[in-house]
């Protein structure tokens, strides 16, 4: 007998959406978070969720904008699948109690973001993710069929084959998890497992992503035999606050959507006109490269983003969270510009899934930022990410429910073996290697790339990979060691993917191949 019917790794938008749909269908579900429940990117989302909700807009417009931003690498079938399900997903969230902002006519208040041809973003002021997370968590806590397991760090997927004693390959039947409270490794089994462990932003020195975005889900699925695709497409957000104390506070794209202007901090020039006719509302990759170019060309620390011309009432009403945060840092955004820099923001690539969230490993599904579903292509359109979490969380749950009778019971699983490892007396190594990876990923695998820089990164990751694997084989696991092992794995996947793309497309921009190839082809890595 398994411990649960379904195990879900991740309590973000994707994980909790799947959990609630499965629980409503009577399945006993356990949902793991490696720290507190809301420790992922979902709580941090600001701008909102994209959906066609006004008469002047259409699914075709949203599909077209997604594919233009994605530089043609998107899977059109999947884009259509997601876009058409967006209005129903928003309604489900509203029914769960998410207090979306409404306009004076009582309809949704829609804001605008880069790359969108229409106002299309439903939001809760400038803290949409927090409101969504509260509603999902509350529903999960109250549901009898959901067991929430915070502080449980998944280490690796449990695999096996019926008829083969203690096999370590084959179908996925759960995970080994490090329980932070007891310090023990537990074996958790289930008939189906959903990987919803979020992205890998913390492979980079500067990132808007939370501390836990170390690519654990991508690395675990890769080690379990799943294909991983399009990892070179790391999205850099153009406007992260530049502040020496607060290193990763996002200034939402909706600030530009509502009229925010980017200016050179010394000359005051509105520089986006030099880069794109859509100015500040060009897709993110273009605006991030423009900011990066201005900063590098003139040796600046940052550029300015100015929304003060919209007046204090408008600014405070639309961006209360940002206003409060920045006033606390001595910046009054109603009367002065905000210093901003680009920073890593989103992982477009990930574990390959089909329309039902199925991965290559039998019994393993995946949803959310951990995946490459085909929605985003070479660059994610703003506010399409939470949407993907809701649509694929639901799709994976539906498929598990439909195929329930065909999913085999877990087999006997070998317990975690610590007989050949000892406690580490060299933990400083972990911090050192972690810092080194994040620095060279930023410098060599960043917004603008060259083959030489990528090769440098590859040489370093080869050395560090060996060092980390030796360390992992010798010492008892700790949460930091688990994350470092995954970080190295994912950095390696990013570098290999970037080296194999011999063109510039979307977020992958290399000076050695500045042109875009005629045919758009995914970078698929096979374990
Ligand atoms: P997350 O919400 O990141 O959750 C990951 C979960 O996995 C966490 O519970 C974590 O504890 C768990 N986990 C990870 N590793 C392990 C492990 N080893 N063991 C156990 N558990 C594990 N997108 C939009 O569409 N609109 C926005 O406005 C928007 N704003 C954003 C603002 C910021 C600052 C950031 C960083 C991102 C933003 N995004 C936005 C992107 C979006 O928030 C994320 O892509 C999305 O929330 C990802 O949800 P998820 O469920 O896939 O993962
Ligand atoms: C933002 O609010 O700028 C982030 C939106 C997103 O990442 O989709």
């Amino acid at each position: 007998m398994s411990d649960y019917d379904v195990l879900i790794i991740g309590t973000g938008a994707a994980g909790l959406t799947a959990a609630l749909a499965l629980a409503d269908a009577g399945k006993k579900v356990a949902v793991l978070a490696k720290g507190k429940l809301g420790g992922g990117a979902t709580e941090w989302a600001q701008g909102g969720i994209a959906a066609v909700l006004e008469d002047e807009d259409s699914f075709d417009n949203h599909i077209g904008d997604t594919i233009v931003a994605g530089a043609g690498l998107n899977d059109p079938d999947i884009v259509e699948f997601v876009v058409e399900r967006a209005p129903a997903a928003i309604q489900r969230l509203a029914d769960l109690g998410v207090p979306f902002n409404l306009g004076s006519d009582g309809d949704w208040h829609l804001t605008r973001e880069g790359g969108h041809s229409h106002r299309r973003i439903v939001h809760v002021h400038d803290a949409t993710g927090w409101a969504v997370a509260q509603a999902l968590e509350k529903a999960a806590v109250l549901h009898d069929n959901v067991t929430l397991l915070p502080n449980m760090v998944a280490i690796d997927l449990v695999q096996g084959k019926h008829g083969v004693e203690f096999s370590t390959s084959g179908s996925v039947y759960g995970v080994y998890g490090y329980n932070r409270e007891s310090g023990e490794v537990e074996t958790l089994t289930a008939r189906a497992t959903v990987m919803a462990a979020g992205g890998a932003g913390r492979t980079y020195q500067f990132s808007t992503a939370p501390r836990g975005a170390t690519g654990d889900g991508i690395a675990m699925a890769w080690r379990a035999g799943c294909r991983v695709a399009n990892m070179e497409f790391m999205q850099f957000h153009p406007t992260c606050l530049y502040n020496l104390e607060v290193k990763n506070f996002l200034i939402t794209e909706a600030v530009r959507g509502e009229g925010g202007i980017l200016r050179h901090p010394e000359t005051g020039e509105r520089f986006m006109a030099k880069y794109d006719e859509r100015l500040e509302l060009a897709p993110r990759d273009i605006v991030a490269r423009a900011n990066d170019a201005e900063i590098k060309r003139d040796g600046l620390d940052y550029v300015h983003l100015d929304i003060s011309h919209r007046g204090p009432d408008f600014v405070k009403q639309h961006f209360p969270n940002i206003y409060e945060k920045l006033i606390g840092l001595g910046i009054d955004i109603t009367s002065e510009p905000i210093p901003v820099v680009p920073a890593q923001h989103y992982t477009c690539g990930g574990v390959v899934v089909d329309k039902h969230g199925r991965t290559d490993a039998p019994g393993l599904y995946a949803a959310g930022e951990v995946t490459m579903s085909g929605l985003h292509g070479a660059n994610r359109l703003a506010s399409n990410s939470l949407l993907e979490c809701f649509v694929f969380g639901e799709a994976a749950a539906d498929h598990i429910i439909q195929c329930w009778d065909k999913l085999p019971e877990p087999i006997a699983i070998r317990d975690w073996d610590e007989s050949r490892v000892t406690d580490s007396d060299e933990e400083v190594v972990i911090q050192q290697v972690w810092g080194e990876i994040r620095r060279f990923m930023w410098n060599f695998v960043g917004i603008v790339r060259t083959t030489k820089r990528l090769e440098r990164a590859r040489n370093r990751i080869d050395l560090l990979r060996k060092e980390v694997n030796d360390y992992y084989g010798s010492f008892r696991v700790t949460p930091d060691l688990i994350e470092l092992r995954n970080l190295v794995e994912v950095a390696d996947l990013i570098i290999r993917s970037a080296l194999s793309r011999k063109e510039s497309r979307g977020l992958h921009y290399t000076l050695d191949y500045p042109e875009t190839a005629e045919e758009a082809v995914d970078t698929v890595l096979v374990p």
Side-chain angles (χ1 to χ4, degrees):
M1 273 292 286
S2 50
D3 302 318
Y4 302 97
D5 290 332
V6 184
L7 269 180
I8 298 178
I9 304 167
T11 53
L16 289 181
T17 300
L20 291 172
L22 287 158
D24 282 347
K27 301 293 172 232
K28 296 279 178 205
V29 181
V31 201
L32 281 62
K34 67 175 164 180
K36 67 183 178 81
L37 289 184
T42 297
E43 267 206 355
W44 292 21
Q46 292 188 356
I49 308 163
V52 173
L53 292 167
E54 63 168 24
D55 293 344
E56 300 78 63
D57 200 1
S58 68
F59 288 149
D60 281 347
N61 288 335
H62 190 179
I63 291 167
D65 293 347
T66 301
I67 294 176
V68 168
L73 193 64
N74 324 60
D75 177 339
D77 236 26
I78 293 291
V79 179
E80 191 182 325
F81 176 75
V82 174
V83 162
E84 288 183 353
R85 280 160 183 73
I90 301 298
Q91 191 54 56
R92 274 200 304 277
L93 291 168
D95 294 345
L96 269 186
V98 178
F100 289 115
N101 289 163
L102 302 178
S104 49
D105 53 2
D107 264 347
W108 313 102
H109 180 269
L110 302 174
T111 189
R112 192 163 178 185
E113 291 182 349
H116 288 276
S117 56
H118 287 73
R119 285 191 169 264
R120 188 180 286 147
I121 319 294
V122 279
H123 62 109
V124 182
H125 301 291
D126 54 352
T128 310
W130 194 84
V132 166
Q134 297 313 302
L136 290 172
E137 279 172 31
K138 187 169 163 209
V141 166
L142 291 176
H143 209 301
D144 285 345
N145 288 339
V146 178
T147 305
L148 294 165
L149 298 174
N151 290 317
M152 183 71 80
V153 189
I155 305 170
D156 260 323
L157 292 157
V158 161
Q159 287 176 279
K161 285 186 188 138
H162 276 271
V164 183
E165 206 178 0
F166 295 140
S167 164
T168 51
S169 63
S171 296
V172 170
Y173 292 116
V175 288
Y176 291 113
Y178 175 90
N179 184 330
R180 285 183 195 258
E181 278 150 30
S182 65
E184 301 291 323
V185 176
E186 299 176 17
T187 312
L188 300 162
T189 59
R191 279 216 229 176
T193 302
V194 181
M195 183 60 77
R202 287 300 178 116
T203 33
Y204 284 83
Q205 188 177 9
F206 303 107
S207 169
T208 64
R211 159 76 178 69
T214 48
D216 299 7
I218 296 170
M220 279 187 269
W222 171 255
R223 287 194 292 268
C226 299
R227 284 168 304 152
V228 166
N230 291 351
M231 288 302 291
E232 67 275 39
F233 299 114
M234 273 290 169
Q235 183 169 71
F236 294 84
H237 197 291
T239 60
C240 179
L241 175 69
Y242 173 83
N243 185 279
L244 296 180
E245 282 157 41
V246 181
K247 295 235 159 40
N248 59 353
F249 186 72
L250 180 75
I251 308 297
T252 175
E253 185 144 343
V255 169
R256 279 176 286 128
E258 296 297 344
I261 293 173
L262 286 163
R263 292 192 189 280
H264 193 287
E266 288 166 2
T267 63
E269 180 200 7
R270 183 179 189 177
F271 58 80
M272 271 314 296
K274 289 188 303 204
Y275 297 93
D276 195 283
E277 62 190 13
R278 290 162 289 185
L279 304 171
E280 284 82 4
L281 286 180
R284 237 170 235 184
D285 55 331
I286 295 169
V287 186
R289 274 199 296 276
N291 287 359
D292 184 63
E294 293 290 311
I295 288 171
K296 290 211 172 110
R297 193 196 56 220
D298 291 346
L300 308 171
D301 286 331
Y302 50 79
V303 292
H304 272 154
L305 174 63
D306 194 0
I307 186 76
S308 60
H309 54 280
R310 296 300 310 259
D313 290 347
F314 178 91
V315 171
K316 284 189 209 167
Q317 194 202 344
H318 281 76
F319 307 110
N321 186 42
I322 296 176
Y323 173 76
E324 282 300 326
K325 177 85 180 178
L326 268 61
I327 206 87
L329 296 169
I331 304 167
D332 180 352
I333 65 171
T334 66
S335 60
E336 57 187 319
I338 310 167
V340 293
V341 285
Q344 190 289 341
H345 180 64
Y346 183 81
T347 310
C348 291
V351 183
V352 176
V353 288
D354 68 7
K355 219 183 235 180
H356 307 292
R358 277 183 299 191
T359 71
D360 293 337
L364 180 66
Y365 292 75
E369 192 169 339
V370 73
T371 64
M372 198 296 277
S373 67
L375 174 64
H376 306 308
N379 177 30
R380 173 178 67 98
L381 182 65
S383 288
N384 264 357
S385 167
L386 285 171
L387 176 59
E388 183 187 40
C389 294
F390 304 127
V391 172
F392 276 91
E394 187 91 12
D398 284 349
H399 197 263
I400 293 171
I401 294 161
Q402 276 163 28
C403 301
W404 188 248
D405 293 338
K406 292 190 208 127
L407 291 167
E409 274 286 344
I411 52 167
I413 301 295
R414 193 197 289 263
D415 276 340
W416 189 254
D417 179 7
E418 289 200 326
S419 59
R420 280 168 296 177
V421 292
T422 58
D423 282 330
S424 164
D425 51 3
E426 288 282 351
E427 293 216 348
V428 65
V429 174
I430 295 180
Q431 300 313 325
Q432 183 63 36
V433 175
W434 181 297
E436 196 176 334
I437 293 175
R438 295 185 66 210
R439 272 192 302 278
F440 74 67
M441 288 300 286
W442 181 259
N443 289 326
F444 300 155
V445 198
I447 298 174
V448 177
R449 301 166 179 176
T450 67
T451 304
K452 225 180 206 158
R453 286 181 213 159
L454 293 175
E455 281 168 350
R456 279 213 168 104
R458 185 179 56 192
N459 293 340
R460 279 173 172 68
I461 206 74
D462 284 350
L463 288 173
L464 292 177
R465 206 156 186 269
K466 187 171 172 331
E467 209 169 296
V468 171
N469 284 342
D470 287 350
Y471 194 95
Y472 184 80
S474 310
F475 297 114
R476 214 158 258 137
V477 289
T478 62
D480 284 351
L481 178 54
I482 294 165
E483 287 185 337
L484 178 65
R485 176 178 176 236
N486 294 327
L487 201 79
V488 169
E489 193 82 79
V490 171
D492 183 48
L493 295 173
I494 299 168
I495 296 164
R496 281 166 54 188
S497 304
L499 270 168
S500 72
R501 186 166 290 280
K502 308 282 188 232
E503 62 163 345
S504 290
R505 182 183 296 274
L507 296 157
H508 177 73
Y509 182 73
T510 164
L511 297 177
D512 292 307
Y513 302 97
E515 304 300 327
T516 302
E518 235 165 70
E519 202 190 351
V521 183
D522 291 322
T523 306
V524 183
L525 299 178
V526 184

